[in-house]
Amino acid sequence: IISCLFVEKQAVDALIEESSTIHKYKSGGESNVYTLGRIGSHRVVATKLALIGDSREAITSAGSITTRLLGNFQNIEHVFIVGVGGAVPHFTDASLHARLGDVIVSASRPHQYVYAHDLLFDRITEQITGFAIRNWDSEDKTIERIVETGGQELVDSWNSATEEAIRLLTSSAGDVEWKAPPESTDVLAMAVSKGNVVVMPHPNENRQGGAEIHLGTVGAMSAMKKYENAIGGEEDTLGQIRESFAESFGVRCMDAGFDSVVGAVVGSCAHAAARAAGMVRCIIEKLPKSA
């Protein structure tokens, strides 16, 4: 189980049973911390990336940490990248609209993960024409099937796991507010011109069932600073680029691990981390036992 933010690692660790922590030191000064233990009938190992983003240092660090994880702990069957994300809103279709506290599990619809590492430009007009992307899809669809067929039983298990995580985290890491923030913070806003926004009603404003589980594509974009330089830093245009990326590739959720701003939203961030950790626990408990 790999996470990016400290609160994500805290939330995952809270739900690992019979846990122990080990450190792996490297001569160059870099070290890795692993939490070992059990979820259901499966043995698990959890770690956190030291750096996030798409700088050369972050890419090198993330790659080496993941490589060492797979080298130090062989016979790994599944890898979960878990944590906080930003849902892509849908202003009219409730089935495609995720709200605060919901969880999105990546699924090949059409791809599990889409990463835009650059913009494409028309050489003559210098207008943006598209995105240079990389897609990832897992060959094993076990996790997708567990979520797809889980029904209300999975939702109930997820809610119970989240409540347990919040209770454990509140007692051990009480300096962070792990409970859901006030409903008044769950605001849907539509961007209009000159950086202004208009508050809109959620298409599922009156839903009765509480938080929901979604299956869909998770996406991420390279550092927006690069795009700012290309288009002159106009916020309206940056928003249009993000919207175009999400619409072009059916993205349901943006990977917040590449956006340092999320670190400032401690309240929502911590609750989202607990929600994500609870979902991972429920899926792992339902994975088939190893031969």
Side-chain angles (χ1 to χ4, degrees), residues 212-275:
E212 297 177 348
I213 303 170
H214 305 260
L215 280 164
T217 300
V218 175
M221 300 182 69
S222 181
M224 294 303 290
K225 184 63 68 177
K226 182 194 305 182
Y227 302 148
E228 290 179 16
N229 295 335
I231 63 177
E234 298 179 13
E235 183 57 39
D236 290 349
T237 308
L238 291 173
Q240 291 171 6
I241 291 175
R242 287 189 285 262
E243 291 174 7
S244 176
F245 169 68
E247 184 177 353
S248 298
F249 303 102
V251 174
R252 298 291 311 280
C253 174
M254 298 292 284
D255 183 352
F258 291 91
D259 186 356
S260 59
V261 176
V262 75
V265 194
V266 176
S268 299
C269 178
H271 181 67
R275 272 296 194 187

Short mmCIF file of all heavy atoms in Angstrom, two decimals, residues 212-275:
data_model
loop_
_atom_site.label_atom_id
_atom_site.label_comp_id
_atom_site.label_asym_id
_atom_site.label_seq_id
_atom_site.Cartn_x
_atom_site.Cartn_y
_atom_site.Cartn_z
N GLU A 212 -20.75 7.60 -1.25
CA GLU A 212 -20.90 6.60 -2.30
C GLU A 212 -19.54 6.13 -2.83
O GLU A 212 -18.53 6.82 -2.69
CB GLU A 212 -21.73 7.17 -3.46
CG GLU A 212 -23.15 7.55 -3.06
CD GLU A 212 -23.92 8.19 -4.21
OE1 GLU A 212 -23.28 8.54 -5.24
OE2 GLU A 212 -25.15 8.34 -4.09
N ILE A 213 -19.56 4.96 -3.46
CA ILE A 213 -18.37 4.38 -4.09
C ILE A 213 -18.53 4.49 -5.60
O ILE A 213 -19.59 4.16 -6.14
CB ILE A 213 -18.19 2.90 -3.70
CG1 ILE A 213 -18.11 2.76 -2.18
CG2 ILE A 213 -16.95 2.31 -4.36
CD1 ILE A 213 -18.19 1.32 -1.70
N HIS A 214 -17.49 4.98 -6.27
CA HIS A 214 -17.53 5.16 -7.71
C HIS A 214 -16.40 4.36 -8.36
O HIS A 214 -15.32 4.21 -7.77
CB HIS A 214 -17.37 6.63 -8.10
CG HIS A 214 -18.35 7.55 -7.44
ND1 HIS A 214 -19.49 8.02 -8.07
CD2 HIS A 214 -18.37 8.10 -6.19
CE1 HIS A 214 -20.16 8.80 -7.25
NE2 HIS A 214 -19.50 8.87 -6.10
N LEU A 215 -16.62 3.90 -9.56
CA LEU A 215 -15.59 3.27 -10.38
C LEU A 215 -15.33 4.16 -11.59
O LEU A 215 -16.27 4.62 -12.24
CB LEU A 215 -16.04 1.88 -10.85
CG LEU A 215 -15.92 0.73 -9.87
CD1 LEU A 215 -16.75 -0.45 -10.35
CD2 LEU A 215 -14.46 0.30 -9.69
N GLY A 216 -14.06 4.40 -11.90
CA GLY A 216 -13.77 5.23 -13.05
C GLY A 216 -12.30 5.53 -13.20
O GLY A 216 -11.45 5.01 -12.47
N THR A 217 -12.00 6.41 -14.14
CA THR A 217 -10.62 6.78 -14.46
C THR A 217 -10.09 7.81 -13.47
O THR A 217 -10.76 8.79 -13.17
CB THR A 217 -10.54 7.34 -15.89
OG1 THR A 217 -10.97 6.35 -16.81
CG2 THR A 217 -9.11 7.76 -16.23
N VAL A 218 -8.88 7.57 -12.99
CA VAL A 218 -8.17 8.57 -12.17
C VAL A 218 -7.14 9.23 -13.06
O VAL A 218 -6.45 8.55 -13.84
CB VAL A 218 -7.49 7.90 -10.96
CG1 VAL A 218 -6.64 8.92 -10.19
CG2 VAL A 218 -8.54 7.29 -10.03
N GLY A 219 -7.02 10.53 -12.98
CA GLY A 219 -6.09 11.26 -13.84
C GLY A 219 -5.18 12.17 -13.07
O GLY A 219 -5.42 12.49 -11.90
N ALA A 220 -4.11 12.58 -13.71
CA ALA A 220 -3.17 13.54 -13.12
C ALA A 220 -2.54 14.33 -14.24
O ALA A 220 -2.40 13.85 -15.37
CB ALA A 220 -2.10 12.83 -12.29
N MET A 221 -2.14 15.55 -13.93
CA MET A 221 -1.50 16.42 -14.92
C MET A 221 -0.15 16.85 -14.39
O MET A 221 0.05 17.02 -13.18
CB MET A 221 -2.36 17.64 -15.21
CG MET A 221 -3.74 17.31 -15.76
SD MET A 221 -4.69 18.79 -16.16
CE MET A 221 -3.78 19.39 -17.58
N SER A 222 0.78 17.07 -15.30
CA SER A 222 2.09 17.57 -14.94
C SER A 222 1.95 18.93 -14.28
O SER A 222 0.90 19.58 -14.38
CB SER A 222 2.97 17.66 -16.19
OG SER A 222 4.26 18.11 -15.87
N ALA A 223 3.00 19.37 -13.61
CA ALA A 223 2.96 20.62 -12.84
C ALA A 223 2.35 21.76 -13.65
O ALA A 223 2.77 22.03 -14.77
CB ALA A 223 4.37 21.01 -12.39
N MET A 224 1.34 22.42 -13.07
CA MET A 224 0.66 23.48 -13.79
C MET A 224 1.55 24.68 -14.06
O MET A 224 1.25 25.51 -14.90
CB MET A 224 -0.57 23.92 -12.99
CG MET A 224 -1.65 22.86 -12.88
SD MET A 224 -2.24 22.26 -14.49
CE MET A 224 -3.12 23.70 -15.07
N LYS A 225 2.68 24.77 -13.37
CA LYS A 225 3.60 25.87 -13.61
C LYS A 225 4.07 25.88 -15.07
O LYS A 225 4.23 26.92 -15.69
CB LYS A 225 4.80 25.76 -12.68
CG LYS A 225 5.81 26.91 -12.79
CD LYS A 225 5.18 28.22 -12.39
CE LYS A 225 4.87 28.25 -10.90
NZ LYS A 225 4.32 29.57 -10.48
N LYS A 226 4.27 24.66 -15.61
CA LYS A 226 4.68 24.54 -17.01
C LYS A 226 3.62 25.12 -17.92
O LYS A 226 3.90 25.81 -18.90
CB LYS A 226 4.93 23.07 -17.34
CG LYS A 226 5.41 22.81 -18.76
CD LYS A 226 5.30 21.34 -19.12
CE LYS A 226 6.01 20.45 -18.14
NZ LYS A 226 5.94 19.02 -18.52
N TYR A 227 2.35 24.84 -17.60
CA TYR A 227 1.26 25.34 -18.43
C TYR A 227 1.10 26.84 -18.26
O TYR A 227 0.76 27.55 -19.20
CB TYR A 227 -0.05 24.64 -18.05
CG TYR A 227 0.00 23.14 -18.20
CD1 TYR A 227 -0.74 22.31 -17.38
CD2 TYR A 227 0.80 22.54 -19.18
CE1 TYR A 227 -0.70 20.93 -17.51
CE2 TYR A 227 0.86 21.17 -19.32
CZ TYR A 227 0.10 20.38 -18.49
OH TYR A 227 0.15 19.01 -18.62
N GLU A 228 1.35 27.34 -17.07
CA GLU A 228 1.25 28.78 -16.83
C GLU A 228 2.21 29.53 -17.73
O GLU A 228 1.89 30.57 -18.31
CB GLU A 228 1.55 29.10 -15.36
CG GLU A 228 0.47 28.63 -14.40
CD GLU A 228 0.83 28.94 -12.97
OE1 GLU A 228 1.74 29.76 -12.75
OE2 GLU A 228 0.21 28.37 -12.06
N ASN A 229 3.41 28.99 -17.86
CA ASN A 229 4.40 29.64 -18.72
C ASN A 229 3.97 29.61 -20.18
O ASN A 229 4.23 30.54 -20.94
CB ASN A 229 5.75 28.94 -18.57
CG ASN A 229 6.34 29.08 -17.18
OD1 ASN A 229 6.01 30.04 -16.48
ND2 ASN A 229 7.17 28.14 -16.77
N ALA A 230 3.28 28.52 -20.57
CA ALA A 230 2.90 28.37 -21.97
C ALA A 230 1.74 29.28 -22.36
O ALA A 230 1.65 29.71 -23.50
CB ALA A 230 2.53 26.91 -22.24
N ILE A 231 0.86 29.57 -21.42
CA ILE A 231 -0.35 30.33 -21.78
C ILE A 231 -0.43 31.68 -21.08
O ILE A 231 -1.45 32.35 -21.15
CB ILE A 231 -1.60 29.51 -21.42
CG1 ILE A 231 -1.65 29.27 -19.91
CG2 ILE A 231 -1.63 28.20 -22.18
CD1 ILE A 231 -2.90 28.52 -19.46
N GLY A 232 0.64 32.06 -20.41
CA GLY A 232 0.65 33.38 -19.79
C GLY A 232 0.06 33.42 -18.40
O GLY A 232 -0.13 34.48 -17.83
N GLY A 233 -0.27 32.26 -17.81
CA GLY A 233 -0.70 32.20 -16.42
C GLY A 233 -2.11 32.66 -16.16
O GLY A 233 -2.46 32.98 -15.03
N GLU A 234 -2.97 32.72 -17.18
CA GLU A 234 -4.34 33.13 -16.96
C GLU A 234 -5.13 32.01 -16.28
O GLU A 234 -5.24 30.92 -16.82
CB GLU A 234 -5.00 33.50 -18.30
CG GLU A 234 -4.30 34.67 -19.00
CD GLU A 234 -4.97 35.00 -20.32
OE1 GLU A 234 -6.08 34.48 -20.56
OE2 GLU A 234 -4.39 35.75 -21.11
N GLU A 235 -5.70 32.31 -15.12
CA GLU A 235 -6.36 31.28 -14.33
C GLU A 235 -7.55 30.69 -15.06
O GLU A 235 -7.82 29.48 -14.98
CB GLU A 235 -6.81 31.87 -12.99
CG GLU A 235 -7.46 30.85 -12.05
CD GLU A 235 -6.55 29.66 -11.76
OE1 GLU A 235 -5.33 29.87 -11.58
OE2 GLU A 235 -7.07 28.53 -11.70
N ASP A 236 -8.30 31.52 -15.79
CA ASP A 236 -9.45 31.00 -16.55
C ASP A 236 -9.00 29.94 -17.55
O ASP A 236 -9.64 28.90 -17.71
CB ASP A 236 -10.15 32.14 -17.29
CG ASP A 236 -10.89 33.08 -16.34
OD1 ASP A 236 -11.01 32.71 -15.15
OD2 ASP A 236 -11.32 34.15 -16.77
N THR A 237 -7.89 30.21 -18.23
CA THR A 237 -7.40 29.27 -19.22
C THR A 237 -6.90 28.00 -18.56
O THR A 237 -7.09 26.89 -19.08
CB THR A 237 -6.27 29.91 -20.06
OG1 THR A 237 -6.72 31.16 -20.57
CG2 THR A 237 -5.88 29.01 -21.21
N LEU A 238 -6.24 28.12 -17.41
CA LEU A 238 -5.79 26.94 -16.67
C LEU A 238 -6.97 26.05 -16.30
O LEU A 238 -6.91 24.82 -16.41
CB LEU A 238 -5.03 27.36 -15.42
CG LEU A 238 -3.67 28.03 -15.62
CD1 LEU A 238 -3.12 28.53 -14.29
CD2 LEU A 238 -2.69 27.07 -16.26
N GLY A 239 -8.04 26.67 -15.84
CA GLY A 239 -9.23 25.91 -15.51
C GLY A 239 -9.81 25.21 -16.72
O GLY A 239 -10.25 24.06 -16.64
N GLN A 240 -9.80 25.88 -17.85
CA GLN A 240 -10.31 25.27 -19.08
C GLN A 240 -9.45 24.09 -19.50
O GLN A 240 -9.97 23.09 -20.01
CB GLN A 240 -10.34 26.32 -20.19
CG GLN A 240 -11.38 27.41 -19.98
CD GLN A 240 -11.25 28.55 -20.97
OE1 GLN A 240 -10.45 28.49 -21.91
NE2 GLN A 240 -12.03 29.61 -20.77
N ILE A 241 -8.14 24.19 -19.29
CA ILE A 241 -7.24 23.07 -19.62
C ILE A 241 -7.57 21.86 -18.75
O ILE A 241 -7.67 20.73 -19.24
CB ILE A 241 -5.77 23.49 -19.43
CG1 ILE A 241 -5.37 24.51 -20.49
CG2 ILE A 241 -4.85 22.27 -19.50
CD1 ILE A 241 -3.97 25.07 -20.30
N ARG A 242 -7.76 22.09 -17.46
CA ARG A 242 -8.10 20.99 -16.57
C ARG A 242 -9.43 20.34 -16.97
O ARG A 242 -9.57 19.12 -16.98
CB ARG A 242 -8.15 21.48 -15.12
CG ARG A 242 -6.78 21.78 -14.51
CD ARG A 242 -6.91 22.06 -13.03
NE ARG A 242 -7.46 23.37 -12.79
CZ ARG A 242 -6.74 24.46 -12.49
NH1 ARG A 242 -5.42 24.36 -12.42
NH2 ARG A 242 -7.31 25.62 -12.29
N GLU A 243 -10.42 21.19 -17.26
CA GLU A 243 -11.72 20.68 -17.66
C GLU A 243 -11.63 19.90 -18.97
O GLU A 243 -12.26 18.84 -19.13
CB GLU A 243 -12.71 21.83 -17.81
CG GLU A 243 -13.08 22.49 -16.49
CD GLU A 243 -13.96 23.72 -16.69
OE1 GLU A 243 -14.39 23.95 -17.85
OE2 GLU A 243 -14.20 24.45 -15.71
N SER A 244 -10.85 20.41 -19.91
CA SER A 244 -10.69 19.74 -21.20
C SER A 244 -10.02 18.38 -21.03
O SER A 244 -10.43 17.39 -21.67
CB SER A 244 -9.87 20.62 -22.15
OG SER A 244 -9.62 19.95 -23.37
N PHE A 245 -9.01 18.32 -20.17
CA PHE A 245 -8.33 17.05 -19.90
C PHE A 245 -9.30 16.03 -19.33
O PHE A 245 -9.36 14.88 -19.78
CB PHE A 245 -7.16 17.29 -18.95
CG PHE A 245 -6.54 16.04 -18.40
CD1 PHE A 245 -5.84 15.18 -19.23
CD2 PHE A 245 -6.65 15.72 -17.05
CE1 PHE A 245 -5.28 14.01 -18.74
CE2 PHE A 245 -6.08 14.56 -16.55
CZ PHE A 245 -5.39 13.71 -17.40
N ALA A 246 -10.06 16.44 -18.31
CA ALA A 246 -11.00 15.52 -17.67
C ALA A 246 -12.07 15.05 -18.66
O ALA A 246 -12.41 13.87 -18.71
CB ALA A 246 -11.66 16.20 -16.47
N GLU A 247 -12.59 15.97 -19.47
CA GLU A 247 -13.65 15.61 -20.42
C GLU A 247 -13.12 14.71 -21.54
O GLU A 247 -13.79 13.76 -21.96
CB GLU A 247 -14.25 16.88 -21.01
CG GLU A 247 -15.41 16.63 -21.95
CD GLU A 247 -16.03 17.91 -22.46
OE1 GLU A 247 -15.64 19.01 -21.99
OE2 GLU A 247 -16.91 17.84 -23.35
N SER A 248 -11.89 14.99 -22.00
CA SER A 248 -11.32 14.23 -23.13
C SER A 248 -11.08 12.77 -22.78
O SER A 248 -11.20 11.90 -23.65
CB SER A 248 -10.01 14.87 -23.59
OG SER A 248 -10.22 16.19 -24.04
N PHE A 249 -10.74 12.49 -21.51
CA PHE A 249 -10.34 11.14 -21.15
C PHE A 249 -11.25 10.50 -20.09
O PHE A 249 -10.90 9.48 -19.50
CB PHE A 249 -8.88 11.15 -20.67
CG PHE A 249 -7.94 11.70 -21.69
CD1 PHE A 249 -7.45 12.99 -21.58
CD2 PHE A 249 -7.57 10.94 -22.79
CE1 PHE A 249 -6.59 13.51 -22.54
CE2 PHE A 249 -6.71 11.44 -23.76
CZ PHE A 249 -6.22 12.74 -23.63
N GLY A 250 -12.42 11.09 -19.88
CA GLY A 250 -13.38 10.51 -18.94
C GLY A 250 -12.87 10.44 -17.52
O GLY A 250 -13.20 9.49 -16.79
N VAL A 251 -12.10 11.42 -17.10
CA VAL A 251 -11.50 11.40 -15.76
C VAL A 251 -12.55 11.71 -14.71
O VAL A 251 -13.26 12.70 -14.80
CB VAL A 251 -10.34 12.42 -15.68
CG1 VAL A 251 -9.81 12.52 -14.26
CG2 VAL A 251 -9.21 12.02 -16.64
N ARG A 252 -12.65 10.85 -13.70
CA ARG A 252 -13.59 11.05 -12.61
C ARG A 252 -12.95 11.71 -11.39
O ARG A 252 -13.64 12.26 -10.54
CB ARG A 252 -14.18 9.69 -12.18
CG ARG A 252 -14.96 8.97 -13.26
CD ARG A 252 -16.26 9.68 -13.56
NE ARG A 252 -17.01 9.99 -12.37
CZ ARG A 252 -17.78 9.12 -11.70
NH1 ARG A 252 -17.88 7.87 -12.15
NH2 ARG A 252 -18.43 9.48 -10.62
N CYS A 253 -11.63 11.60 -11.30
CA CYS A 253 -10.94 12.08 -10.11
C CYS A 253 -9.52 12.47 -10.48
O CYS A 253 -8.87 11.78 -11.27
CB CYS A 253 -10.93 10.99 -9.05
SG CYS A 253 -9.96 11.36 -7.57
N MET A 254 -9.04 13.59 -9.94
CA MET A 254 -7.67 14.03 -10.17
C MET A 254 -6.80 13.63 -8.99
O MET A 254 -7.18 13.81 -7.83
CB MET A 254 -7.61 15.55 -10.36
CG MET A 254 -8.39 16.04 -11.57
SD MET A 254 -7.66 15.53 -13.14
CE MET A 254 -6.27 16.65 -13.23
N ASP A 255 -5.65 13.07 -9.29
CA ASP A 255 -4.71 12.65 -8.25
C ASP A 255 -4.14 13.87 -7.56
O ASP A 255 -3.36 14.62 -8.15
CB ASP A 255 -3.59 11.81 -8.89
CG ASP A 255 -2.61 11.27 -7.87
OD1 ASP A 255 -2.71 11.66 -6.70
OD2 ASP A 255 -1.75 10.46 -8.26
N ALA A 256 -4.52 14.04 -6.30
CA ALA A 256 -4.07 15.22 -5.56
C ALA A 256 -2.64 15.09 -5.08
O ALA A 256 -2.07 16.03 -4.55
CB ALA A 256 -4.98 15.49 -4.38
N GLY A 257 -2.03 13.93 -5.23
CA GLY A 257 -0.64 13.77 -4.82
C GLY A 257 0.30 14.65 -5.59
O GLY A 257 1.41 14.94 -5.16
N PHE A 258 -0.14 15.14 -6.76
CA PHE A 258 0.70 16.00 -7.57
C PHE A 258 0.38 17.47 -7.35
O PHE A 258 0.84 18.32 -8.09
CB PHE A 258 0.53 15.65 -9.05
CG PHE A 258 1.10 14.30 -9.39
CD1 PHE A 258 0.31 13.16 -9.34
CD2 PHE A 258 2.42 14.16 -9.76
CE1 PHE A 258 0.82 11.92 -9.63
CE2 PHE A 258 2.95 12.92 -10.05
CZ PHE A 258 2.15 11.79 -10.00
N ASP A 259 -0.41 17.78 -6.37
CA ASP A 259 -0.80 19.16 -6.13
C ASP A 259 -0.56 19.50 -4.68
O ASP A 259 -1.29 19.07 -3.80
CB ASP A 259 -2.27 19.35 -6.50
CG ASP A 259 -2.71 20.80 -6.41
OD1 ASP A 259 -1.89 21.64 -6.00
OD2 ASP A 259 -3.86 21.08 -6.75
N SER A 260 0.48 20.29 -4.43
CA SER A 260 0.87 20.59 -3.05
C SER A 260 -0.19 21.40 -2.31
O SER A 260 -0.18 21.46 -1.07
CB SER A 260 2.20 21.35 -3.03
OG SER A 260 2.08 22.56 -3.76
N VAL A 261 -1.11 21.99 -3.04
CA VAL A 261 -2.15 22.79 -2.40
C VAL A 261 -3.00 21.95 -1.45
O VAL A 261 -3.48 22.43 -0.42
CB VAL A 261 -3.04 23.45 -3.47
CG1 VAL A 261 -4.19 24.21 -2.82
CG2 VAL A 261 -2.22 24.40 -4.33
N VAL A 262 -3.18 20.68 -1.79
CA VAL A 262 -4.05 19.84 -0.97
C VAL A 262 -3.53 19.73 0.46
O VAL A 262 -4.29 19.52 1.40
CB VAL A 262 -4.19 18.44 -1.60
CG1 VAL A 262 -2.95 17.60 -1.39
CG2 VAL A 262 -5.40 17.71 -1.03
N GLY A 263 -2.23 19.91 0.64
CA GLY A 263 -1.67 19.82 1.98
C GLY A 263 -2.18 20.90 2.90
O GLY A 263 -2.15 20.75 4.12
N ALA A 264 -2.69 21.99 2.32
CA ALA A 264 -3.19 23.08 3.14
C ALA A 264 -4.63 22.85 3.60
O ALA A 264 -5.11 23.50 4.52
CB ALA A 264 -3.12 24.40 2.36
N VAL A 265 -5.32 21.91 2.96
CA VAL A 265 -6.71 21.65 3.30
C VAL A 265 -6.75 20.50 4.29
O VAL A 265 -7.20 19.40 4.00
CB VAL A 265 -7.53 21.32 2.04
CG1 VAL A 265 -9.02 21.39 2.36
CG2 VAL A 265 -7.19 22.28 0.93
N VAL A 266 -6.25 20.73 5.50
CA VAL A 266 -6.01 19.65 6.45
C VAL A 266 -7.29 18.93 6.84
O VAL A 266 -7.35 17.71 6.90
CB VAL A 266 -5.29 20.18 7.71
CG1 VAL A 266 -5.12 19.08 8.73
CG2 VAL A 266 -3.95 20.77 7.32
N GLY A 267 -8.37 19.67 7.10
CA GLY A 267 -9.59 19.04 7.57
C GLY A 267 -10.16 18.06 6.58
O GLY A 267 -10.33 16.88 6.86
N SER A 268 -10.49 18.55 5.38
CA SER A 268 -11.05 17.68 4.35
C SER A 268 -10.07 16.61 3.95
O SER A 268 -10.44 15.48 3.66
CB SER A 268 -11.43 18.52 3.12
OG SER A 268 -12.40 19.47 3.46
N CYS A 269 -8.79 16.96 3.92
CA CYS A 269 -7.74 16.03 3.51
C CYS A 269 -7.70 14.83 4.45
O CYS A 269 -7.64 13.69 4.00
CB CYS A 269 -6.39 16.76 3.50
SG CYS A 269 -4.99 15.75 3.07
N ALA A 270 -7.72 15.08 5.75
CA ALA A 270 -7.61 13.99 6.72
C ALA A 270 -8.82 13.06 6.64
O ALA A 270 -8.69 11.83 6.70
CB ALA A 270 -7.45 14.56 8.12
N HIS A 271 -10.02 13.64 6.52
CA HIS A 271 -11.22 12.79 6.43
C HIS A 271 -11.19 11.97 5.15
O HIS A 271 -11.54 10.78 5.16
CB HIS A 271 -12.48 13.65 6.48
CG HIS A 271 -13.74 12.85 6.42
ND1 HIS A 271 -14.13 12.00 7.42
CD2 HIS A 271 -14.70 12.75 5.45
CE1 HIS A 271 -15.27 11.41 7.09
NE2 HIS A 271 -15.63 11.84 5.90
N ALA A 272 -10.78 12.59 4.04
CA ALA A 272 -10.69 11.86 2.78
C ALA A 272 -9.69 10.71 2.88
O ALA A 272 -9.90 9.63 2.33
CB ALA A 272 -10.30 12.81 1.65
N ALA A 273 -8.58 10.95 3.59
CA ALA A 273 -7.58 9.90 3.77
C ALA A 273 -8.16 8.72 4.55
O ALA A 273 -7.92 7.56 4.23
CB ALA A 273 -6.35 10.46 4.49
N ALA A 274 -8.95 9.03 5.59
CA ALA A 274 -9.58 7.97 6.38
C ALA A 274 -10.58 7.19 5.54
O ALA A 274 -10.68 5.95 5.64
CB ALA A 274 -10.27 8.56 7.61
N ARG A 275 -11.32 7.90 4.70
CA ARG A 275 -12.27 7.25 3.80
C ARG A 275 -11.55 6.30 2.83
O ARG A 275 -11.98 5.17 2.60
CB ARG A 275 -13.05 8.31 3.01
CG ARG A 275 -14.30 8.82 3.69
CD ARG A 275 -15.29 7.72 3.85
NE ARG A 275 -16.62 8.17 4.21
CZ ARG A 275 -17.60 7.35 4.51
NH1 ARG A 275 -17.40 6.05 4.53
NH2 ARG A 275 -18.80 7.79 4.81
#
